Structures are given as C-alpha cells and as structure tokens.
Amino acid sequence: MASKSVVRALSLILIVVAGGGAWWYQNRGQQSPSGAAPVAAGPTGAASGPAAAGGPGGGGKPAVEVTKVEQAKLVDEAQATGSLRSRQNIMVRPEVSGRITQVNFRDGQKVSRGQLLIQLDDQLAQAQVKQAQAELSIAQVNFNRNKELVEQNFISRRTVDESGASLEVAQAKLALAKATADRLKILAPFDGTVGIRSINLGDYLKDGADVVNLEDMDAVYVDYRLPERFQTRLRAGQRAEVEVDAVPGRKFSAVVQAIDPLVDANGRSLGVRACIDNRRMQLRPGMFARVATNFSTRDKALVVPEEAIVPQGPRLFVIRLVDSPEGLVSKRVEVKVGMRTPGKVELLDGVALGDTVVVAGQQRLQRDGTVVRVVEGAGRGGAPGGPGGAPGGPGGPGGAPGAPGGPGAAPGAVPSGAGPAAGGPGRPPAGRPAANLPPLQGPDPCLVALDGSGRAAARPAGPAAPASAAPAAVPAQRTGPGPT
C-alpha cells in the first residue's frame, strides 16, 4: 500500500510539472524581455496592444501600411472565345456531269474573279452551238426575205409573222446551246486562294461533286458570342482585340461588323461578327481566337489596391492619412468604385491623385483622428522591401521571388530565353512586331462592302477606319512560354 501511494504522488507531481512547462512555453513569446504585460493577438493574427502598436520607440501609435492613389489606363471590355472564318468561302462544284479536260490552277494558288479553273469535255456542246448558229442564220435570212416580199405584196403578213417567230426560236436555241457549253466551264466567282484539289485530269465529275475550296482571306471574320446583358452596349464599329494561339505574343485589331438580332435561347447569348485586316496573310480560317471587345477606355483613372477598400454594409470606405501637428492621422472617407482589374480598383470620388491610403492595419483604426506610424510592408509593389526592392528582400536580386520571370514579376514580363514566347529558336520575342514587313497597299478590306457578285463596292456608311492589324500588334499580357 505504501508503494502505491508513492507512485500516485510522483505521478501527480509529474502532471503538475508538465502542465506548468506547457503553459510557460505557450506564453513565453507574448512577454517583452523586460517582463512587460503579455500582448494579445488581433483578429488578423497581428499583435495588438501597446507593444504591437508602437513597438520600440513607437509611442503607442498603431502601425499601418500605405500606398498612393495612382493614375492608370483602364479598359472596360468583355472577354470571349470564337473562331476565324474567311470573308468569302465556297466549295467549288460542277453544275453538270462531265470529264475533266483542263485543270488551270495549282494547289494553294491565288486566282482572280472569272478565271477558268476547270474545263469539262464540251465537244458535244460546241457542236450544238454551231448547229444553233446555222439555224439562226437560215431563220434570219428567211425573215429578211419575207419582209421584202410582203412590201411588194407577193406574200401575206402571216408568213412574215411565222418567219419572225422562227427567228426567235433559233435565237433561243443558240442561247441555250451557249449556256449548256458555259456550264462545262468552272470559273472563280471571286478573288481568293484555292485549297488542295481532290480531282485530277481525266476524272469524270458528277454534278455537285467537290472540286476545291476557294477562300477570300484578305479580311477574316471572327465569330463569337457574348452574354445578353451586353446587348445595350454592343454596336457596329466598336473595336476589339483578338489573340490567336497560332501567333503567340501578338494582338490583332478588329472592328465589329454585325450583331445578330436573335438571342440564342439555349445560352442566352448574342452572336457577334468582327472583321480583321488580313492582307499580310498571318491568320487562317478555322483558327481559335480569344476576343476582348472594348466598350470604353479611361486613360486617367484613379486606382488603389483592392486591400484598401473597407466595406461596411452597402457602403465602401478607404482610410486616408492626413497631416496634423501630432503627425499622420487617419480619416475614413466614403468612396464609389468603378471598374476593376486584377488587384486594382478604380475610385470615382472621395480621393485625389497622390492621396495616401491605408492598405493594411485598418482594423487598428477604429476612429478618425488616430495618429499612426507608417511601416514598410513586404509584398507591396513599389514599397521598399517589396517586389524588386532592396537586395535580400522579397523580389530582390539573386533569384528571389521578384526576380524577372519569378512569381513576383509584373504581368507580361517574360524572361529572356524562357520558352517559345520569349524568343525561342526561330521565333522573334513575344510582342515584338515582325521586321521588314512590306507596307500595306490599298484600302482596308474590312471597310469595303461587297455587292451581290462579290465585287468591292463603296460602303454607304460605316465606322471609322480601325488601325491596321499587323502594325498595331502589341505584346500579349501573359507569362510563361507560349504554345508550341
């Protein structure tokens, strides 16, 4: 019994010692070296109280991180995906059956409107044309002779009328024979580029058989869809920026040509067609495209980081710092926000360019007029110690996160030699326009209307001429290697 009592006493002592050690370990970091009162943690995990607010020499002032209200160019746009298609495209097919006697084009060749592409065997048709011409000559001679005889009262007027009808029948037969012969010739209906043919000399074609595709690619259309909520903001003549994976690092300027009046009941979306000047032949029908339709642009918008916004119910505020005899003091200002971009918010009122606003530590400022102490915040763009800051800080040299191409790099910054988009083998750096391009000749095909025959015609009214696609190409705002 005595041994059991000793064991129980020792166990109790060990439990008390272990609990005391655990309590000391958990609270040792919350006491100052001089034995000051412990400091409680705030809602965000940052220390609060006198020691945290002022720190060494802080004098009890809450520490905050700040930034300046800046100007930036903001674009109000809608993103969508679509496909490219030719301005005009057909599959060339014969109207009648026949054997091929001539093939007057090469695969991938440019052809002109009215150029003979395929000639079918027309020996029988030409013989019928000659027969109809002979019959027409006889009918013409008979009609002329009967006109002379009726004037001398040798024949009746009825005979003249019958010979006139025979002349018209002969003329119709000749026209029919020529039309039949012409249908054995397959002509290009418009200027364009032929594809890869699927026929050869001597093949027998049935009516409606595929011969070759013909594409007019001087201008290409991009067809895409936008949600129906944009229908009041869409109009013909708006600008759009188009990116294609096949041409990484370049943007092409497009102009909206038409908007489908019918809303798709399945997806509640609107069909939109925009036109791109493609006289440099950099784009091809069928390519996948990313389209950004530009509704408006603000060149001098006032922006702040998203963290500066303090919501209170339906109202939004920022905390601005103003000078006072005691130092910088806080002032809560109600603001109205506009457009948003990744990490930035536009402020329409309440602040001015260059104002200082708080981006971290707002929970410590419960009332206006609080004297604050500004500290340098890690990860704040442009602040010391932030991305691209002093050596050794986040974003410093030596391969730190802020180094070119690292996670802290600015959007659109591409390290030299990193992947195809940054100038891989045989490819210019991303975003750099191709050198030694010849100047474009003639009018912008996107501003030239086509009549029913495919000929260019003056557009009666339309939007202002957009910038040429290729010269206006700008770097794509993306990081990492492009498509291979």
Side-chain angles (χ1 to χ4, degrees):
M1 295 297 294
S3 62
K4 290 183 179 181
S5 300
V6 171
V7 170
R8 289 177 181 175
L10 290 176
S11 300
L12 182 61
I13 293 172
L14 290 175
I15 292 174
V16 172
V17 171
W23 178 88
W24 175 83
Y25 181 80
Q26 291 179 355
N27 293 273
R28 66 189 180 94
Q30 297 186 3
Q31 289 186 349
S32 60
S34 59
V39 181
T44 61
S48 61
K61 299 178 182 179
V64 297
E65 299 175 21
V66 299
T67 189
K68 297 286 187 180
V69 179
E70 301 174 345
Q71 279 187 346
K73 181 178 180 179
L74 299 182
V75 179
D76 184 12
E77 59 185 18
Q79 303 285 340
T81 59
S83 299
L84 301 184
R85 56 164 298 173
S86 303
R87 179 173 58 169
Q88 300 181 93
N89 68 297
I90 63 164
M91 174 59 70
V92 178
R93 297 184 177 94
E95 298 183 40
V96 295
S97 302
R99 189 172 303 280
I100 299 175
T101 58
Q102 294 181 36
V103 178
N104 296 329
F105 67 91
R106 298 186 305 273
D107 294 346
Q109 176 186 348
K110 285 183 172 292
V111 297
S112 303
R113 182 179 184 271
Q115 179 178 335
L116 177 63
L117 302 179
I118 299 292
Q119 175 66 64
L120 301 179
D121 185 8
D122 62 347
Q123 292 182 3
L124 179 59
Q126 292 298 334
Q128 292 174 345
V129 170
K130 292 180 180 180
Q131 179 183 1
Q133 288 175 343
E135 292 177 355
L136 177 60
S137 299
I138 295 174
Q140 186 69 53
V141 170
N142 290 336
F143 178 69
N144 293 336
R145 183 181 298 112
N146 288 337
K147 285 177 63 178
E148 295 176 357
L149 293 176
V150 76
E151 292 176 357
Q152 299 175 9
N153 294 323
F154 288 121
I155 60 174
S156 65
R157 175 63 63 177
R158 177 180 178 180
T159 305
V160 177
D161 294 340
E162 290 176 352
S163 61
S166 299
L167 176 60
E168 293 180 358
V169 171
Q171 291 173 341
K173 285 184 177 180
L174 178 59
L176 177 61
K178 288 183 176 180
T180 303
D182 290 341
R183 289 160 70 95
L184 297 173
K185 297 178 180 179
I186 303 178
L187 308 179
F190 51 81
D191 297 343
T193 305
V194 294
I196 299 177
R197 69 188 187 190
S198 57
I199 51 88
N200 291 291
L201 189 66
D203 281 348
Y204 183 83
L205 291 181
K206 292 185 178 181
D207 54 313
D210 293 348
V211 175
V212 69
N213 60 305
L214 177 61
E215 310 284 340
D216 176 12
M217 300 190 301
D218 282 349
V220 293
Y221 291 145
V222 53
D223 292 341
Y224 59 100
R225 308 193 72 86
L226 288 176
E228 62 180 358
R229 67 176 182 271
F230 293 112
Q231 59 93 16
T232 57
R233 307 177 66 186
L234 282 169
R235 67 183 185 278
Q238 283 178 325
R239 302 293 180 85
E241 296 291 337
V242 181
E243 294 182 78
V244 293
D245 293 344
V247 189
R250 296 181 70 97
K251 289 185 179 180
F252 298 88
S253 178
V255 58
V256 175
Q257 294 282 310
I259 302 161
D260 194 340
L262 177 65
V263 176
D264 183 13
N266 295 324
R268 305 300 176 187
S269 59
L270 283 169
V272 184
R273 171 170 291 177
C275 181
I276 306 172
D277 184 355
N278 191 42
R279 285 174 287 175
R280 298 190 190 278
M281 296 299 167
Q282 295 177 302
L283 304 175
R284 292 182 179 271
M287 286 182 174
F288 174 77
R290 295 180 175 86
V291 189
T293 306
N294 185 356
F295 298 124
S296 63
T297 302
R298 298 178 187 171
D299 294 326
K300 297 181 179 180
L302 300 180
V303 296
V304 295
E306 290 179 338
E307 308 91 84
I309 304 298
V310 180
Q312 289 188 357
R315 305 167 68 187
L316 300 176
F317 296 86
V318 297
I319 298 179
R320 185 162 59 92
L321 298 186
V322 296
D323 292 326
S324 72
E326 294 82 9
L328 292 176
V329 298
S330 64
K331 181 179 180 182
R332 192 176 299 264
V333 179
E334 184 175 2
V335 294
K336 181 179 180 182
V337 301
M339 292 188 292
R340 292 177 180 265
T341 59
K344 298 287 185 178
V345 180
E346 179 192 15
L347 299 184
L348 301 178
D349 58 11
V351 296
L353 179 64
D355 284 353
T356 302
V357 296
V358 178
V359 294
Q362 295 97 325
Q363 71 277 5
R364 303 167 188 162
L365 309 176
Q366 299 300 325
R367 58 184 179 83
D368 287 350
T370 303
V371 181
V372 301
R373 180 173 59 90
V374 176
V375 298
E376 298 173 355
R380 301 293 170 195
V414 181
S416 58
R427 182 177 296 175
R432 184 175 299 172
N436 301 325
L437 290 176
L440 294 172
Q441 301 294 331
D444 188 340
C446 289
L447 302 180
V448 177
L450 298 176
D451 59 18
S453 64
R455 294 179 181 270
R459 182 186 293 271
S468 180
V474 296
Q477 297 297 316
R478 56 170 173 259
T479 59
T484 56

